Amino acid sequence: MGCAATRGAKGSDPHRPPTSGGPHGHSQPLTRDKEDCTLPPNGKPEDLEYLEWRKRAIAYAPKGPPLGELSDDQLRSLEAEKAELQDNVAKYLGSPEVLNAVLSPEIIGALMTPEADWSPFIRGCLKRVQDVNALGGPRMQIVWWGSVKSLQRLPMWPVDRNHVLDAERLLEQWAEEMDEKGKVNGRGFCISTFSHRWERPGFDSSAHPDTPDHKKAAKLVQYGEFGTCPIFEPHHKFDYYYWLDFAGIDQYDIRNKQLGVSKLPAFISATTEVIMYNSSTVDYEPRAWTRAERALGFTFTASPLFVYMDDNYPNEHLDLDQIISSNPRCFAKDPVTGALMLIMRDPCADGACVTDPRDKKLLFELSRIVQKAAPLNPQRIASGMKELDFGSASILLDTEHYSIDCEASLRRMSSQRSTLASVTRTTTVRSSDTTAPSDSDIKYPEEVFLEVSAKSKLDVPETGHQEKPRIKMSL
């Protein structure tokens, strides 16, 4: 996790957009004009048709300038507000209503059947998000995988607010759109927490969670396109939505950032799974925030396993031994099953890295919560672990998801190569041919992009015979 909220004094960035937080550090009412729903901070209209019915769930942008710095009185007020919010979160997550809502093996088994009804699951998701929003502080915001595809990058709150969805309103809209089995367009619903280390951390506008070529965004698009979940294969596919720190936590307003981070346990409890991203360009393990996120997921998510993702997803098969040997403090192999495991480590000790020293108190509070909390995660419940023991505790990683998508990707690439070879044979006209095929004679598959090479212009050799152009294909 990272944040640009600590960039400097309020008003130091002339391009900073208006976000939540009033002049005294208190939230403004959630109001927004209907005609403003397609206007980003620069005031230029955006094409949001790709969202379809999801446009009705675009997150509201509270009015008022961002708070880049707080006065001493505002800081004291914020500390009291954070303490109250953290107390509300802890009480809620320990309530019988939440502890009795764990997805049992019987419930999961019923959902695995081809004709499973997902409507009760949708109602349960909506109730959880409503309860989380009612705790106070920032509302829960998520990003559809289709928005990442449209932007070709990870959206940032509040700059890309028209591509960020209010989770509660989205689930309300889903309930209106879903069929009798709780699906929309044949897919079920899933919110995934994306746990990753920022590629370009910092305190100015250069800070960014992704690489310049947006490799993480590309992987999340592919994840959403496949819509896979190994537990429910082959009968059910899913429409994926992501809780991203870059979009779910205010990146400009320091008050809203602090309150949003204070609600992290509640936000993660409202997601179904955690995707951990093992980047080859930054080390996931020692970052204090990624340690906190995996501890929170091991305690509060509904899915017993974390999903493993890395730079090679979904185009190369996993080498578990190589993954472990390259980062033995993060990964291990289950001695019984040989499965990949993610080691839980202390976010506040054991070499944990913190970019902003002001985050240490928040990290300590989050660690205290997860160590003492009654777990919701089925794997931690099954382990019988009453108190989280950093350094020895570990969670099984779902690598089957990776393998299924990899097989599908390799099949698709093989099919495209075969199609390319076939089209190339069809469209290559040799000099001995007397009649060239017309455009209507050539059938181009939709998934193949045709690029006419600059070298394919007509050349007249010394023989006076005109060679027909060759079409160069590329994916």
Side-chain angles (χ1 to χ4, degrees):
M1 174 177 290
C3 188
T6 53
R7 292 176 178 173
K10 181 175 68 173
S12 62
D13 182 355
H15 302 292
R16 177 175 289 156
T19 65
S20 57
H24 304 293
H26 299 287
S27 291
Q28 299 287 329
L30 288 175
T31 58
R32 188 178 191 175
D33 296 332
K34 291 182 179 179
E35 53 270 22
D36 181 48
C37 67
T38 59
L39 290 179
N42 61 15
K44 297 179 181 179
E46 292 184 281
D47 182 6
L48 302 175
E49 291 306 310
Y50 78 89
L51 285 170
E52 299 178 329
W53 54 271
R54 299 172 190 83
K55 286 197 300 182
R56 301 193 294 271
I58 290 174
Y60 291 134
K63 299 183 183 299
L67 293 174
E69 283 189 345
L70 302 178
S71 66
D72 290 342
D73 288 342
Q74 289 173 329
L75 283 171
R76 284 190 291 271
S77 176
L78 177 59
E79 288 301 315
E81 196 173 0
K82 283 163 47 182
E84 181 181 2
L85 182 56
Q86 290 167 1
D87 187 56
N88 290 342
V89 169
K91 288 179 180 178
Y92 170 69
L93 294 178
S95 67
E97 180 182 10
V98 172
L99 296 177
N100 293 332
V102 176
L103 286 178
S104 66
E106 293 75 20
I107 295 174
I108 293 175
L111 292 174
M112 292 170 66
T113 61
E115 298 303 318
D117 182 5
W118 289 81
S119 301
F121 177 77
I122 297 300
R123 291 192 291 270
C125 289
L126 176 58
K127 179 63 166 59
R128 175 63 59 85
V129 172
Q130 288 173 333
D131 290 345
V132 168
N133 284 340
L135 295 173
R139 293 170 65 82
M140 184 171 181
Q141 298 175 168
I142 53 180
V143 176
W144 182 42
W145 70 267
S147 295
V148 184
K149 182 178 181 179
S150 177
L151 291 171
Q152 300 182 48
R153 57 179 172 80
L154 301 178
M156 172 185 178
W157 181 264
V159 175
D160 299 306
R161 63 176 180 255
N162 288 328
H163 304 276
V164 179
L165 305 176
D166 183 274
E168 181 177 338
R169 294 171 60 224
L170 176 74
L171 279 159
E172 291 172 344
Q173 296 304 316
W174 184 284
E176 291 185 8
E177 297 287 330
M178 68 184 185
D179 59 23
E180 68 279 2
K181 297 297 185 181
K183 295 183 176 182
V184 175
N185 296 327
R187 289 196 174 197
F189 180 86
C190 184
I191 304 177
S192 306
T193 295
F194 187 60
S195 177
H196 63 119
R197 185 171 184 176
W198 278 40
E199 298 285 335
R200 295 171 279 167
F203 299 98
D204 56 27
S205 58
S206 66
H208 200 281
D210 210 349
T211 53
D213 61 351
H214 306 288
K215 68 177 183 182
K216 294 176 182 177
K219 304 305 178 185
L220 290 179
V221 170
Q222 291 172 300
Y223 193 90
E225 286 179 334
F226 283 117
T228 307
C229 179
I231 297 175
F232 301 106
E233 282 285 307
H235 304 303
H236 306 290
K237 297 292 184 181
F238 294 86
D239 195 23
Y240 280 103
Y241 298 81
Y242 305 119
W243 189 90
L244 303 165
D245 50 9
F246 202 43
I249 301 291
D250 198 308
Q251 298 299 302
Y252 282 88
D253 189 295
I254 191 170
R255 172 183 172 272
N256 282 338
K257 175 206 171 183
Q258 297 279 317
L259 293 177
V261 172
S262 296
K263 286 186 72 171
L264 261 179
F267 288 149
I268 290 179
S269 77
T271 66
T272 302
E273 64 178 10
V274 173
I275 302 170
M276 68 83 53
Y277 193 93
N278 183 26
S279 173
S280 64
T281 48
V282 289
D283 190 355
Y284 177 86
E285 198 294 305
R287 175 69 170 151
W289 281 114
T290 60
R291 288 184 177 186
E293 288 165 358
R294 60 186 185 252
L296 289 165
F298 187 42
T299 304
F300 296 121
T301 52
S303 175
L305 308 181
F306 283 21
V307 179
Y308 177 86
M309 182 183 289
D310 62 21
D311 295 349
N312 295 325
Y313 168 87
N315 301 318
E316 295 183 18
H317 289 290
L318 288 173
D319 183 340
L320 301 189
D321 291 331
Q322 191 278 328
I323 292 171
I324 295 168
S325 63
S326 64
N327 200 341
R329 282 184 56 79
C330 190
F331 301 104
K333 183 177 288 188
D334 184 270
V336 178
T337 66
L340 188 63
M341 304 187 74
L342 181 65
I343 302 170
M344 300 291 119
R345 295 200 179 276
D346 194 335
C348 301
D350 193 17
C353 300
V354 181
T355 303
D356 187 348
R358 290 172 290 184
D359 290 342
K360 289 183 178 180
K361 186 175 181 180
L362 279 170
L363 287 162
F364 177 80
E365 293 298 328
L366 293 175
S367 299
R368 181 184 60 82
I369 290 173
V370 297
Q371 285 184 294
K372 302 294 184 181
L376 308 180
N377 183 283
Q379 185 180 160
R380 184 174 166 187
I381 293 173
S383 71
M385 191 182 303
K386 293 184 179 179
E387 185 168 322
L388 185 57
D389 184 11
F390 291 119
S392 61
S394 56
I395 185 170
L396 287 170
L397 290 172
D398 169 17
T399 56
E400 186 64 19
H401 194 138
Y402 193 116
S403 298
I404 292 173
D405 289 355
C406 182
E407 288 293 336
S409 178
L410 293 175
R411 286 195 302 270
R412 184 169 63 183
M413 287 190 290
S414 177
S415 174
Q416 289 174 340
R417 282 194 294 267
S418 298
T419 302
L420 282 171
S422 175
V423 172
T424 300
R425 286 193 298 270
T426 302
T427 59
T428 300
V429 182
R430 302 191 182 279
S431 60
S432 58
D433 295 339
T434 57
T435 305
S438 66
D439 288 342
S440 61
D441 295 328
I442 303 174
K443 305 301 182 183
Y444 300 125
E446 291 182 359
E447 68 272 16
V448 176
F449 174 74
L450 305 180
E451 182 184 80
V452 180
S453 170
K455 296 182 180 179
S456 65
K457 57 187 178 182
L458 300 183
D459 293 321
V460 181
E462 292 181 358
T463 59
H465 180 76
Q466 179 172 295
E467 185 180 358
K468 301 298 190 296
R470 295 170 182 259
I471 298 179
K472 178 184 176 182
M473 310 290 181
S474 63
L475 284 178

